[in-house]
């Protein structure tokens, strides 16, 4: 075997403490390799001739193993043999857009009293400038759109409490040019007129339910009759073709019912249904709510990182998978990096534009957090293809450590084994 070996222009080696992975960003596949192959690839990528490498092995078995590894890498189309020591022009990573999605938390008021709500009510602030007017919301939408944001969600609280303002803001958001507009609602206050408007304007709707029976659902919302209203309106929205998705938050009091609830919702005609264990945020930061049996099923106990796109990989190099592309604007004008992270305030829209705030020094430190900074993850070969929820990791940490390892990951990069 003669010549030189190089990974394809769309393939990249990521080294961990013990093992490594090769990313094929053309098809998104991720290949796990042991420490022997990691060292082999690094030597060849540094320009060592294949024949020189093979001769360096005094043991013929090791030479055969090296040759077999090179052949396997070429067969998988992860690399190829070069006649000369020429440089492969690798894919050039583009700088990701500074903002892709914004939550507009247009009200903190809600008609339900959900046990797990991510918001913790504080004493009301009466400072006039801290109350967002329609004009303020429009300004935020315009500024977000101007820097590339094309997706937004209206949320609360419960946005339907101020339905007239909501409808007005939706109409303006469409005129601005947003391509994806969603309303996150408990669906108890929606009327036929709202449904007709959502349908006519192709507005997406997201709804949370907590069981397939009123007894279970209403126990979470702490409002009797909420289940019947929510399900009734879900059926109506399905009937008129509104693109609807449902989130089922799993807690200790409903964990035995969540899969039945998913089937129930799917039978209504809604296929986009996701079960999500309660996040330790706001009222959800309550150990008594933890669904221990469900959490076991959601632990990362094997390498399930089979697909990693080029945008995902390149964003992971320079920022957080969520914080770097999303923001939430609260009713007081605060900008936070995530609807679930209430304590990391990047700035306030009354003190500067959206662009200025997300580009300030404090914001960049938070938005640019990568797995290279997270404890243990920084030594993991899967760090650029593993989804990371910082609020969940931070709030699950006994010390509230922003750089804590995700609690549900069972991989030990120092041994290369899954515990």
């Amino acid at each position: 075997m003669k010549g030189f070996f190089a990974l394809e222009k769309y393939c990249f080696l990521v080294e961990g403490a013990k093992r490594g992975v090769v990313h094929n960003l053309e098809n998104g596949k991720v290949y796990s390799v042991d420490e022997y192959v990691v060292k082999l690839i690094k030597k060849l990528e540094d320009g060592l001739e294949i024949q020189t490498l093979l001769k360096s092995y005094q043991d013929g078995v090791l030479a055969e193993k090296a040759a077999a590894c090179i052949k396997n890498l070429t067969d998988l189309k992860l690399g190829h043999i070069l006649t000369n020591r020429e440089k492969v022009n690798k894919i050039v990573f583009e700088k990701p857009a500074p903002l892709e999605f914004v939550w507009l938390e247009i009200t903190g008021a809600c008609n339900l009293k959900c046990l797990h709500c991510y918001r913790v009510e504080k004493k009301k602030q009466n400072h006039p400038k801290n109350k967002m007017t329609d004009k303020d919301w429009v300004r935020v939408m315009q500024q977000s759109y101007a820097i590339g944001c094309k997706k937004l969600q209206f949320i609360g609280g419960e946005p339907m409490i101020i339905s007239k303002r909501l409808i007005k803001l939706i109409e303006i958001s469409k005129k601005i040019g947003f391509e994806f507009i969603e309303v996150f609602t408990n669906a108890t206050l929606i009327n036929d007129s709202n449904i007709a408007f959502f349908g006519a304007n192709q507005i997406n709707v997201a709804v949370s339910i907590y069981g397939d029976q009123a007894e279970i659902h209403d126990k979470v919302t702490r409002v009797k009759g909420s289940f019947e209203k929510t399900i009734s309106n879900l059926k109506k929205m399905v009937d008129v073709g509104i693109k609807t998705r449902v989130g089922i938050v799993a807690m200790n009091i409903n964990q035995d019912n969540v899969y039945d609830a998913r089937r129930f919702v799917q039978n209504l005609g809604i296929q986009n249904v996701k079960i999500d264990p309660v996040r330790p945020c706001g009222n959800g930061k309550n150990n008594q709510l933890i669904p221990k049996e469900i959490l076991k099923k959601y632990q990362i106990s094997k390498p399930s990182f089979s697909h990693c796109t080029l945008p995902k990989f390149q964003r992971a190099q320079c920022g957080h998978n969520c914080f770097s592309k999303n923001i939430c604007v609260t009713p007081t004008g605060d900008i936070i990096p995530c609807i679930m992270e209430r304590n990391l305030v990047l700035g306030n829209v009354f003190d500067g534009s959206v662009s200025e705030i997300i580009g300030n020094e404090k914001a960049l430190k938070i938005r640019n957090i990568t797995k290279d900074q997270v404890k243990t993850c920084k030594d993991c070969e899967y760090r650029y293809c593993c989804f990371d929820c910082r609020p969940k990791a931070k709030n699950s940490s006994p010390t509230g450590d922003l750089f804590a390892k995700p609690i549900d990951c069972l991989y030990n990069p120092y041994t290369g084994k899954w515990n």
Side-chain angles (χ1 to χ4, degrees), residues 25 272 344 414:
L25 299 180
N272 189 352
L344 296 178
Y414 305 108

Side-chain angles (χ1 to χ4, degrees), residues 25 74 90 100 133 163 398 401:
L25 299 180
T74 56
K90 307 292 282 187
E100 295 182 5
T133 64
S163 60
D401 186 357

Side-chain angles (χ1 to χ4, degrees), residues 369-388:
I369 290 174
T370 70
K371 282 293 191 71
D372 292 320
Q373 298 168 269
V374 175
K375 294 175 180 176
T376 305
C377 296
K378 61 187 176 65
D379 296 316
C380 178
E381 64 271 25
Y382 295 110
R383 61 188 178 275
Y384 299 140
C385 58
C386 176
F387 180 80
D388 179 52

Side-chain angles (χ1 to χ4, degrees), residues 61-312:
V61 174
L62 289 177
E64 289 181 6
K65 181 180 178 181
C69 284
I70 295 170
K71 183 179 185 303
N72 189 39
L73 290 168
T74 56
D75 289 345
L76 290 171
K77 297 183 179 180
L78 299 177
H80 60 280
I81 306 298
L82 302 169
T83 304
N84 300 311
R85 190 181 297 174
E86 57 191 74
K87 185 178 181 181
V88 175
N89 293 320
K90 307 292 282 187
I91 291 176
V92 177
F93 292 157
E94 297 179 1
K95 189 175 182 180
L99 187 62
E100 295 182 5
F101 179 90
V102 58
W103 287 278
L104 300 181
E105 193 178 20
I106 60 174
T107 178
C110 187
N111 60 316
L112 302 184
K113 304 172 184 177
C114 296
L115 293 170
H116 64 294
C117 183
Y118 53 77
R119 300 182 79 255
V120 176
E121 292 299 330
K122 298 179 181 180
K123 292 182 179 179
K124 293 182 178 180
Q125 297 180 352
N126 297 314
H127 304 296
K129 79 168 189 175
N130 286 336
K131 295 182 178 180
M132 295 284 285
T133 64
D134 288 355
K135 185 177 180 180
D136 296 323
W137 287 118
V138 172
R139 174 167 52 86
V140 166
M141 287 191 288
Q142 291 172 333
Q143 292 175 353
S144 299
Y145 186 82
I147 56 175
C149 182
K150 300 295 188 293
K151 301 177 182 179
L152 64 78
Q153 182 190 89
F154 293 98
I155 192 171
E158 172 49 51
M160 296 308 301
I161 281 181
I162 52 172
S163 60
K164 290 183 179 180
R165 291 184 65 190
L166 171 64
I167 297 300
K168 179 181 177 182
L169 291 172
I170 289 175
E171 290 174 336
I172 295 172
S173 68
K174 286 184 68 67
K175 290 179 181 178
I176 291 173
F178 283 93
E179 298 170 359
F180 175 87
I181 303 169
E182 184 176 67
V183 175
F184 199 112
T185 171
N186 58 46
T188 61
L189 301 178
I190 294 176
N191 58 37
D192 292 345
S193 176
N194 301 144
I195 292 174
F197 175 82
F198 293 156
N201 289 277
Q202 297 182 312
I203 304 304
N204 299 268
V205 177
V207 179
S208 291
I209 74 162
Y210 309 106
D212 65 345
Q213 305 166 36
E215 180 183 2
I216 299 172
H217 180 89
D218 293 357
K219 191 173 182 180
V220 174
T221 66
R222 294 187 287 183
V223 174
K224 190 174 181 180
S226 59
F227 177 78
E228 293 181 4
K229 292 178 181 178
T230 295
I231 299 305
S232 174
N233 283 323
L234 275 175
K235 291 177 179 178
K236 290 179 181 179
M237 288 189 285
V238 170
D239 288 343
V240 300
I242 294 174
K243 194 171 183 179
T244 308
R245 66 183 178 92
V246 168
I248 302 173
V249 181
M251 288 164 269
N252 65 329
I253 62 175
N254 70 341
Q255 63 180 337
D256 295 331
N257 182 254
V258 292
Y259 297 107
D260 290 333
R262 181 169 62 187
R263 284 190 291 271
F264 172 76
V265 173
Q266 290 173 337
N267 288 335
L268 295 179
I270 301 171
Q271 298 308 308
N272 189 352
V273 186
K274 180 181 178 182
I275 297 172
D276 190 24
V278 63
R279 304 290 178 97
C281 308
N283 292 337
K285 197 174 182 180
N286 179 348
N287 288 335
Q288 294 181 355
L289 294 178
I290 296 175
K292 295 181 180 179
E293 294 304 313
I294 292 290
L295 282 182
K296 291 178 183 178
K297 297 181 180 180
Y298 280 76
Q299 288 178 326
I300 305 172
S301 57
K302 59 182 179 180
S304 55
F305 319 111
S306 58
H307 191 73
C308 182
T309 62
L310 173 59
K312 180 178 179 180

